[in-house]
């Protein structure tokens, strides 16, 4: 199946700093990528949907100025957590939809564990 | 209407047994029902999926049973193995290609 690479897998940062997480589709083009946040023992919570070359669509309650999403190419989307605080500590997961693929064909990255001290 | 209800929350099965996880939905516009498997510290991986025009789909030891009239679908894992221990999520796609997730089931297979 298609591979989605997410980097870094783990990151620890100080409060007030910004952290960038990359999501790459390695062997396919992804017109749409999704960013999720997952708390321990909970399901994935969709944060935003990003389409290549356009602004991301954020879910209700997600601060777009805090979670900056850039989908500059068909194979790369980035999530930047700006001025991170301890409450932003979480597991962030991206997924990508294959361009022209069947409805529902989503492939997930391995996730990025963010710890804000 | 947008919910997908998943049960049980956790499940313990003996090695070699059958693991069964159930999901129910309300929105008849859902047209694709995937199951994802997630190991601790990893992203979810697509396990198996079904469309509502099919009542059953089998891939190896994994089977989805789909009951369109009851708006229910379930995952059966035959001959469950310790390596199957993970959290399983059912999901449904709506017409806007939004993935609606179930709450997840933590499955533990006892050796």
């Amino acid at each position: 199946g298609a591979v989605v690479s997410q980097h870094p897998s783990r990151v620890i940062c100080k409060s007030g700093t910004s952290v960038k997480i990359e999501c790459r589709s390695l062997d396919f083009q992804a017109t749409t990528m999704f960013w999720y946040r997952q708390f321990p023992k909970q399901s994935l919570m969709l944060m935003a949907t990003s389409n290549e070359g356009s602004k991301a669509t954020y879910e209700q309650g997600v601060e777009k100025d805090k979670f900056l999403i850039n989908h500059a190419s068909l194979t790369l989307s980035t999530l930047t957590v700006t001025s991170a605080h301890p409450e932003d500590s979480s597991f962030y997961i991206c997924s990508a939809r294959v361009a022209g693929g069947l409805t529902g064909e989503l492939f997930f990255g391995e996730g990025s564990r963010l710890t804000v001290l | 209407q947008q919910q997908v209800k998943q049960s049980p929350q956790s499940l313990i099965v003996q090695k070699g047994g059958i693991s069964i996880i159930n999901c129910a939905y309300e929105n008849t516009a859902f047209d694709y029902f995937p199951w994802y498997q997630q190991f601790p510290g990893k992203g979810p991986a697509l396990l198996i999926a079904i469309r509502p025009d099919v009542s059953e789909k089998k891939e190896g030891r994994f089977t989805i049973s789909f009951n369109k009239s009851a708006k229910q679908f379930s995952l059966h894992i035959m001959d469950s193995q310790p390596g199957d221990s993970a959290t399983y999520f059912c999901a449904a796609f709506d017409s806007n290609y939004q993935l609606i997730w179930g709450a997840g089931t933590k499955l533990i297979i006892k050796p």
Side-chain angles (χ1 to χ4, degrees), chain A residues 10 34 36 38 41-46 49 59 91 93 97 102-111 113, chain B residues 9 31-32 34 36 38-39 41-46 51 89 93-94 96-99 101-104 106:
Chain A
R10 290 178 182 272
F34 304 87
Y36 296 85
Q38 187 177 32
K41 298 183 181 180
Q42 292 190 24
S43 187
L44 282 70
M45 181 189 77
L46 180 64
T49 302
E59 294 300 302
F91 194 51
I93 305 170
R97 176 183 293 140
L102 298 174
T103 301
E105 276 196 314
L106 277 188
F107 298 92
F108 286 81
E110 290 284 273
R113 171 78 56 196
Chain B
Q9 193 173 19
D31 62 358
Y32 182 75
Y36 291 91
Q38 185 179 28
F39 292 105
K42 301 291 185 183
L46 179 64
R51 296 193 184 276
F89 293 96
F93 265 92
D94 68 10
N96 294 319
Y97 303 116
Q98 290 264 26
L99 191 59
W101 293 85
K106 184 173 182 179

Side-chain angles (χ1 to χ4, degrees), chain B residues 66-88:
Chain B
F66 189 86
N67 186 329
K68 190 174 181 179
S69 60
K71 290 184 279 188
Q72 295 174 347
F73 58 110
S74 60
L75 174 70
H76 291 63
I77 305 174
M78 314 299 286
D79 187 26
S80 300
Q81 299 296 311
D84 297 329
S85 298
T87 299
Y88 293 80

